[in-house]
């Protein structure tokens, strides 16, 4: 039977949910106008005042907020509360020079942890469970968010953080962990390490995993479910909006329910900014409804996906988002063709490879080149050049039909591509553009 953490909200009839959103949006816009001069100036520039916003139907009148705004206003310029009322910051790693910093009041932390508790409950967690939180702790939101959610559910929480893979497996065995929270690439690595240690799914009591923070394909889910002997649930979120738990999968595993009492989602055309009709694929835009310290109106995530308003078999009424195909800034444009790493991953996994690959892009004589390096699995490892050549050709064909592009494929030895404990780094773009 499906369990809910906050049933009255998670299964609220949509007309009531809409009324709740209308009421909260009016308040959130007023809060931003009164307390965030940066955003007020943007509204004034667009000729909008809080009086123009009576509910969700007026959302389109508001200006967008982008990553560039976050950079402009860094670090304190978008805060809706004085520092003295904030209790926490989190931040992205900023390795690409785009550090994002978000602030939280105690109330913000509380609501965020509720969202994570909903995700854990949807994956079957109860107070009887032992929950191993192997997302990174610290500035990254993964560890803190799932940790807080796990406490709220009442699980025995193991704040192990990421890394030290053999110790992770030891803890799972010694403490009988039943729920694992980490990135999907780290879950795959844990599975691989277990195999090397001679352990199979029956040697660990895990029953569910809550994996997110990066794009992962359906094929990768099947692989992880098999290796770890669990049901693998997707969870989505971003630092700007709190962290994990903006949306999460239920037992149906058919898209992630967005916590619509806290966030309104829109899909827009990334080029024109126009709101697209229900069911269209485009850029996901979020408006926070309840945030105090770091409210965001119409924030452009750059994540490309689709929304599904069909009722879900789990009984939750909140809209579902498809797995994001990747960020529009992860999207590679190769010889004019849009390529998402997740499409490449699908081809590799469909051909029996694991998700250990790297995509190398370069420009030679003014032409883009795409090379995919993929590890052979230990079972397929061979030094028979004819066999390697055959396998490479098979992948070249698969990639051509998926992407409409020719790519070079290089099979490499097992374990030669570096493993990730957090988000995997799969793209090396050497083009100087
Ligand atoms: O990754 C928050 C998080 C932590 C989510 C743990 C889930 C679990 P950021 O580091 O700010 O926050 O990165 C946010 O990661 O815009 C997406 O591009 C991507 N992302 C997050 N979850 C998923 C997912 C955390 N389930 C960015 N599928 C987002 C695909 C995801 N992409």
């Amino acid at each position: 039977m499906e369990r809910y953490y906050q049933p009255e909200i998670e299964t609220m009839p949509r007309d009531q949910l809409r009324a709740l959103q209308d009421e909260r949006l009016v308040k959130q816009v007023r809060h931003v106008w009164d307390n965030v001069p940066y955003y007020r100036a943007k509204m004034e520039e667009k000729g909008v005042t809080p009086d123009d916003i009576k509910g969700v139907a007026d959302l389109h009148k508001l200006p967008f907020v982008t990553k560039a705004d976050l950079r402009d206003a860094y670090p304190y310029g978008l805060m809706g509360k004085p520092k003295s009322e904030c209790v926490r910051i989190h931040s992205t790693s900023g390795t690409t020079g785009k550090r994002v910093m978000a602030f939280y009041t105690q109330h913000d932390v509380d609501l965020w942890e509720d969202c994570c508790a909903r995700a854990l409950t949807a994956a079957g967690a109860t107070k009887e469970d032992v929950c191993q939180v192997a997302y990174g702790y610290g500035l990254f939101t993964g560890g803190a968010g799932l940790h807080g959610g796990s406490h709220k559910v009442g699980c025995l929480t193991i704040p192990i953080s990421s890394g030290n893979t053999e110790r992770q497996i030891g803890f799972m065995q010694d403490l009988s962990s039943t729920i694992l929270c980490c990135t999907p690439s780290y879950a795959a690595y844990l599975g691989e390490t277990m195999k090397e240690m001679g352990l199979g799914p029956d040697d660990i009591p895990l029953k569910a995993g809550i994996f997110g923070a990066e794009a992962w394909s359906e094929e990768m889910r099947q692989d992880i479910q098999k290796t770890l002997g669990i049901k693998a649930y997707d969870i989505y979120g971003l630092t700007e909006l709190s962290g994990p738990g903006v949306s999460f999968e239920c037992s149906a595993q058919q898209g992630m329910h967005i916590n619509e009492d806290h966030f309104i989602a829109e899909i827009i055309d990334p080029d024109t900014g126009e709101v697209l009709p229900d069911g269209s694929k485009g850029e996901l835009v979020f408006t926070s409804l309840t945030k105090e310290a770091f409210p965001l109106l119409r924030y452009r995530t750059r994540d490309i996906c689709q929304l599904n308003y069909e009722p879900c078999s789990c009984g939750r009424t909140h809209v579902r988002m498809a797995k994001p195909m990747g960020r529009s800034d992860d999207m590679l444009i190769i010889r004019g063709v849009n390529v998402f790493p997740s499409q490449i991953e699908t081809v590799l996994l469909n051909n029996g490879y694991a998700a250990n690959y790297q995509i190398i892009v370069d420009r030679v004589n003014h032409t883009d080149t795409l090379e995919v390096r993929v590890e052979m699995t230990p079972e397929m490892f061979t030094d028979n050049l004819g066999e390697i050549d055959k396998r490479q050709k098979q992948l070249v064909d698969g990639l051509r039909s998926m992407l409409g592009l020719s790519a070079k494929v290089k099979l490499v030895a097992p374990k030669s591509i570096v493993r990730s404990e957090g988000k995997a780094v799969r793209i090396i773009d050497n083009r100087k553009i």
Side-chain angles (χ1 to χ4, degrees):
M1 204 195 65
E2 192 76 23
R3 272 196 221 95
Y4 312 102
Y5 179 69
Q6 289 166 313
E8 67 295 349
I9 293 169
E10 293 178 70
T11 63
M12 183 180 264
R14 286 205 65 83
D15 54 339
Q16 282 178 35
L17 184 61
R18 180 63 177 246
L20 181 71
Q21 288 184 324
D22 285 341
E23 184 196 315
R24 289 184 170 177
L25 178 65
V26 169
K27 273 198 206 144
Q28 184 90 127
V29 170
R30 174 59 68 184
H31 169 54
V32 166
W33 175 269
D34 289 344
N35 297 294
V36 189
Y38 184 97
Y39 206 84
R40 182 180 185 140
K42 278 186 79 106
M43 283 175 69
E44 280 171 344
E45 203 178 295
K46 222 177 167 228
V48 197
T49 71
D51 291 337
D52 299 315
I53 310 298
K54 308 237 163 16
V56 181
D58 297 319
L59 196 59
H60 67 278
K61 296 178 183 164
L62 292 166
F64 291 116
V65 177
T66 62
K67 269 217 157 89
D69 290 306
L70 301 195
R71 273 201 296 276
D72 261 11
Y74 178 91
Y76 289 127
L78 284 172
M79 276 170 85
K81 287 279 179 188
K83 268 182 274 175
S84 57
E85 286 190 45
C86 296
V87 296
R88 180 94 69 82
I89 75 149
H90 281 285
S91 166
T92 57
S93 61
T95 42
T96 50
K98 298 182 211 148
R99 178 182 290 285
V100 166
M101 202 169 276
F103 301 86
Y104 306 71
T105 61
Q106 184 54 52
H107 186 248
D108 292 330
V109 172
D110 204 37
L111 298 187
W112 173 31
E113 292 179 351
D114 280 342
C115 289
C116 290
R118 287 181 195 174
L120 280 153
T121 308
T126 69
K127 65 188 289 297
E128 306 305 325
D129 281 294
V130 177
C131 178
Q132 185 155 333
V133 183
Y135 282 110
Y137 278 63
L139 287 171
F140 180 53
T141 54
L146 271 311
H147 178 99
S150 173
H151 269 223
K152 287 218 168 190
V153 173
C155 302
L156 174 56
T157 308
I158 312 177
I160 192 163
S161 195
S162 58
N164 206 334
T165 306
E166 294 198 1
R167 186 182 68 174
Q168 299 271 359
I169 295 163
F171 265 67
M172 274 180 210
Q173 291 189 300
D174 294 351
L175 296 177
S176 300
S177 309
T178 46
I179 312 260
L180 172 67
C181 306
C182 62
T183 59
S185 45
Y186 194 49
Y189 182 35
L190 278 164
E192 188 183 2
T193 309
M194 269 176 44
K195 265 195 205 156
E196 282 168 13
M197 292 166 72
L199 299 172
D202 294 339
D203 298 308
I204 49 163
L206 276 188
K207 62 178 192 193
I210 301 185
F211 305 136
E214 61 184 2
W216 54 309
S217 58
E218 196 50 48
E219 293 75 14
M220 189 162 168
R221 187 213 302 267
Q222 300 306 329
D223 258 20
I224 295 174
Q225 294 196 144
K226 202 161 82 206
T227 331
L228 296 180
I230 59 173
K231 196 155 170 177
Y233 294 84
D234 203 352
I235 182 167
Y236 169 91
L238 52 164
T239 312
E240 297 88 314
L241 289 175
S242 59
V246 170
S247 66
F248 61 87
E249 255 181 357
C250 61
S251 58
Q253 291 183 315
Q254 294 284 332
M256 294 180 273
H257 290 280
I258 295 174
N259 283 310
E260 286 187 283
D261 52 326
H262 299 303
F263 306 102
I264 304 177
E266 298 171 275
I267 295 284
I268 63 161
D269 177 326
D271 298 323
T272 63
E274 182 201 346
V275 179
L276 297 176
D278 285 357
S280 313
K281 187 180 288 174
E283 180 179 345
L284 190 55
V285 171
F286 280 111
T287 297
S288 68
L289 290 174
T290 47
K291 286 178 72 186
E292 296 182 337
F294 204 65
L296 285 177
L297 305 182
R298 302 196 86 202
Y299 180 65
R300 292 185 59 163
T301 62
R302 305 193 189 183
D303 290 323
I304 304 293
C305 81
Q306 274 165 297
L307 299 180
N308 175 3
Y309 287 91
E310 300 280 306
C312 180
S313 59
C314 76
R316 287 180 184 76
T317 49
H318 296 204
V319 66
R320 281 171 287 167
M321 59 181 265
K323 265 179 181 303
M325 295 186 68
R327 305 168 71 93
S328 55
D329 40 1
D330 269 357
M331 185 183 80
L332 295 160
I333 303 183
I334 296 171
R335 303 195 284 272
V337 178
N338 297 350
V339 173
F340 282 100
S342 53
Q343 295 173 295
I344 295 179
E345 183 173 301
T346 297
V347 173
L348 300 180
L349 273 77
N350 278 338
N351 281 280
Y353 297 83
N356 297 315
Y357 62 95
Q358 256 173 356
I359 299 167
I360 295 138
V361 186
D362 212 332
R363 183 162 285 182
V364 180
N365 297 330
H366 309 293
T367 304
D368 297 328
T369 58
L370 169 66
E371 179 181 314
V372 179
R373 282 187 202 157
V374 57
E375 276 183 16
M376 287 180 268
T377 60
E379 299 78 42
M380 64 172 72
F381 185 53
T382 168
D383 49 12
N384 176 335
L385 294 181
E387 177 62 24
I388 293 180
D389 202 42
K390 196 176 102 199
R391 286 183 169 280
Q392 288 179 164
K393 285 210 177 85
Q394 203 175 37
L395 288 179
V396 168
D397 290 344
L399 289 169
R400 188 180 298 111
S401 67
M402 171 67 95
L403 310 172
L405 269 184
S406 66
K408 193 172 154 195
V409 171
K410 196 166 164 190
L411 290 183
V412 296
K415 285 272 181 189
S416 57
I417 291 175
V418 73
R419 300 291 185 268
S420 154
E421 295 170 355
K423 298 185 193 233
V425 179
R426 306 204 198 270
I427 303 172
I428 302 171
D429 195 340
N430 293 321
R431 293 176 293 187
K432 306 271 179 301
I433 39 177

